[in-house]
Amino acid sequence: MIVEGMTTPYERPSTTLRRTGIAGRLFRAAVTAHTVASFGQPVFAGVYLTGEIGGLDWHARGADVVFSLALVQAAASALTRSLWPISLSVLIVSAEAVQYMAGVSGLLWVHFPLGVMLIAALAVLSAAVWVRPLPNRAGGDRAGEAGEPGREETHA
């Protein structure tokens, strides 16, 4: 029998709350900006496909912005000194380089599906960086190691 106000071992909140540090916040901001810019790309392509010639120019300029933000994201991921942000960012930069070249070359059979996959990957990554705690400072995911005060915050 469970009484109102009592918690079972399965209902207890975590006693440790890891804070996200400056490197993590920079990475979070870069991923968010990159994701927002990427979501504009299909809109610009759609404008072009509806017959507005200027839409192709918007799409091309958007591609430059998106790729630049991918590079910013990769640089910010390096500041976290954590494996998962760095590896995902390098993978996304590589895929966007292929995406960019396929678009310039007119290889739409590569450009369209790769664009869909990149937007889906960025949406998932964006959700992950807002849900998952990121490193407290440039130094990796070593929260709770001995000799590192301030890495954990305890709450009741």
Side-chain angles (χ1 to χ4, degrees):
M1 174 170 94
I2 297 178
V3 179
E4 184 89 24
M6 292 182 62
T7 59
T8 67
Y10 304 108
E11 295 175 311
R12 286 193 191 127
S14 171
T15 58
T16 356
L17 176 65
R18 285 185 42 212
R19 297 176 307 227
T20 298
I22 299 241
R25 285 191 295 252
L26 285 172
F27 179 64
R28 191 176 275 168
V31 168
T32 302
H34 186 199
T35 302
V36 168
S38 294
F39 270 81
Q41 284 300 90
V43 174
F44 298 147
V47 168
Y48 171 67
L49 292 174
T50 61
E52 177 65 41
I53 282 300
L56 186 59
D57 187 46
W58 294 351
H59 188 65
R61 290 181 194 274
D64 294 336
V65 169
V66 167
F67 189 71
S68 297
L69 287 171
L71 295 174
V72 168
Q73 175 185 319
S77 73
L79 294 176
T80 67
R81 294 175 54 188
S82 182
L83 185 60
W84 75 265
I86 294 170
S87 57
L88 285 176
S89 295
V90 168
L91 183 64
I92 287 173
V93 166
S94 301
E96 283 191 2
V98 172
Q99 170 76 351
Y100 194 96
M101 300 303 348
V104 169
S105 302
L107 299 172
L108 299 182
W109 61 275
V110 174
H111 190 71
F112 286 170
L114 185 55
V116 170
M117 286 186 277
L118 278 166
I119 287 176
L122 282 168
V124 170
L125 179 59
S126 187
V129 299
W130 282 101
V131 171
R132 181 181 177 147
L134 295 166
N136 193 13
R137 59 181 126 121
D141 286 326
R142 300 175 310 190
E145 284 187 1
E148 290 189 4
R151 297 286 291 181
E152 293 186 7
E153 178 181 300
T154 305
H155 61 86

